[in-house]
Amino acid sequence: MPTDHDALAEPVLPGDPGPEPLAVTRLVAVALDEDLGPAPGRDVTTQATVDASARGRADVVARQGGAVAGLVVVPEVLDQVADRLGLDRVAVTWHVRDGAVVDAGTVLASLEGPTHVLLVAERTLLNLVSRASGVATHTHRWTRELAGTDARVLDTRKTTPGLRALEKYAVRCGGGTNKRMGLYDVAMVKDNHVVAAGSVRAAVRAVRARFPDVAVQVEVDRPEQADEALDAGADFLLLDNMDTATLAATVARVRAREGAAGHVDLEATGNLTLDRAREVALTGVDYLSVGALTHSSPVLDVALDLDPRSVTAPPSASSAAPSTAEEPVRRP
C-alpha cells in the first residue's frame, strides 16, 4: 500500500500485520471500477457540480456503537482515487485504531484534501469499513461470551468473494482468530475425501506424502471416529454437529490419549449459537468455528460527514459555491 500516510499514526490493529497489502490493493481497485467504471472512471455528479480545485474536510463517523475494523484500507481508497483523478492525496488524522470498541457518534478519522477525492472515495471507503466493522462487532460478541474459558472463536472459509483478507482481519479485530486462509495452508480431511481415498488413514497419509509442510485436520462426527483420526496421525480434529453431551465425551476421549501423543487441538463446529457458546466452550474444546462471523454479520453504520464550511474553491466557481450551513453534511 502507498506510504504517504506513514508519518501519521497507523490505524492497524496493534500487534497485527493487517490484511495482506496486495490483497487490499486489488480489492480497492475492483471496488472503484465497480463504482466509477474502468479506470480512471468518473463521478458524473461530483465532477459536474464541484470545482476540481475545491478542498475540504470530512469526518468518518460511527453511527452505531461496535468494534471498528477496516480503517487500514482507508488510505488505499483515498490514494487510488487521487491517482485516478490526478489530484493531491488526502491527509488522514486517525482518532481510533482498528479493534477499538466505540460508541455511536465517535469520530474514527478526519480527512482533509481535494473535495473531489473525498466525495468520489466516499461510498467505497464506507462500504469496506462498514462491512469490516460489522464482522468485528459480531466477533466481539462471541469473544465476550467466551471470556473466562480457554476457548476462542474461529472463522471459516465462508467469506465474501474478494473480501477474504479484509474479513479475516476484521475477525482478528473483534478478538477472534483465523483458522486457515484457504485450501492451500491447512489440509482438512472431510467425509468426501475419506470416500475418495478409501479411509481416514489413507487420506492423511496421502496429504503427508504430497504436502508434508501442512497441518492435517480431520472432521469427525462420532466419538469413535476421533480414535481413528488420531491413529492416522491427525494434528487436530473438527468435531462436527455434536450435541453438548457427545462433544464432552469426545473431548474426554481425546484428552485421555494426550499423555503419549501430546496436545491435540479440538474445534467444535456446526449449529453453534451465541446462547450455546459458553456451554460448548466448557466441554474443553480449544476453538468454536463460526461461519456466520463472515457470512451473516450485519454491517456497522458508518458515515462520512463533509464540513461545508471547509469547502474552498476559486471565487469564479459559482456553481460550486460552498453552503453557509453550520452543520456538517450527513450523507447516506
Side-chain angles (χ1 to χ4, degrees), residues 228-250:
E228 184 182 6
L230 293 176
D231 290 342
D235 297 304
F236 54 111
L237 305 182
L238 177 69
L239 311 181
D240 187 37
N241 282 302
M242 293 183 180
D243 59 41
T244 305
T246 304
L247 194 58
T250 306

Side-chain angles (χ1 to χ4, degrees), residues 179-194:
K179 181 178 184 177
R180 56 176 180 164
M181 291 303 294
L183 296 173
Y184 57 88
D185 55 346
V186 174
M188 184 189 295
V189 176
K190 305 185 80 171
D191 52 0
N192 286 336
H193 302 110
V194 173

Side-chain angles (χ1 to χ4, degrees), residues 2 10 19 38 41 64 72-73 77 91 102 115 117 120 137 158 165 172-173 181 183 227-229 232 251 257 264 322:
E10 287 294 328
Q64 295 175 287
V72 71
V73 307
V77 176
V102 302
T115 306
V117 177
V120 173
T137 298
K158 297 176 183 177
R172 302 196 299 273
C173 289
M181 291 303 294
L183 296 173
D227 290 326
E228 184 182 6
V251 171
R257 296 185 48 162
V264 178

Side-chain angles (χ1 to χ4, degrees), residues 250-272:
T250 306
V251 171
R253 191 181 190 117
V254 172
R255 299 299 183 222
R257 296 185 48 162
E258 287 183 337
H263 181 75
V264 178
D265 282 337
L266 300 177
E267 173 188 338
T269 190
N271 297 317
L272 299 181

Side-chain angles (χ1 to χ4, degrees), residues 30 95 105 171 257 310:
V30 170
H95 300 297
V171 167
R257 296 185 48 162
S310 72

Side-chain angles (χ1 to χ4, degrees), residues 29 31-47 80-87 116 120:
L32 290 175
D33 281 347
E34 288 178 343
D35 212 25
L36 306 180
R42 62 184 185 177
D43 174 347
V44 297
T45 310
T46 295
Q47 291 173 299
Q80 285 199 29
V81 169
D83 291 349
R84 286 177 181 234
L85 299 181
L87 295 172
H116 272 207
V120 173

Side-chain angles (χ1 to χ4, degrees), residues 11-13 16 19 67-72 97-101 132 135-137 139-140 143 166-176:
V12 67
L13 177 69
D16 191 284
V68 177
L71 293 180
V72 71
R97 301 179 76 167
D98 284 338
V101 178
V135 171
T137 298
T139 305
H140 181 64
T143 301
L166 179 61
E167 290 179 345
K168 283 183 170 283
Y169 170 68
V171 167
R172 302 196 299 273
C173 289

Side-chain angles (χ1 to χ4, degrees), residues 204-290:
V204 172
R205 284 180 173 175
V207 174
R208 296 282 191 216
R210 182 74 181 272
F211 302 105
D213 58 314
V214 301
V216 181
Q217 182 174 24
V218 176
E219 178 186 76
V220 302
D221 54 27
R222 300 188 309 277
E224 59 271 19
Q225 288 179 324
D227 290 326
E228 184 182 6
L230 293 176
D231 290 342
D235 297 304
F236 54 111
L237 305 182
L238 177 69
L239 311 181
D240 187 37
N241 282 302
M242 293 183 180
D243 59 41
T244 305
T246 304
L247 194 58
T250 306
V251 171
R253 191 181 190 117
V254 172
R255 299 299 183 222
R257 296 185 48 162
E258 287 183 337
H263 181 75
V264 178
D265 282 337
L266 300 177
E267 173 188 338
T269 190
N271 297 317
L272 299 181
T273 58
L274 269 174
D275 58 3
R276 188 179 169 229
R278 195 167 191 82
E279 72 175 52
V280 170
L282 292 175
T283 64
V285 295
D286 300 285
Y287 302 104
L288 284 71
S289 63
V290 181

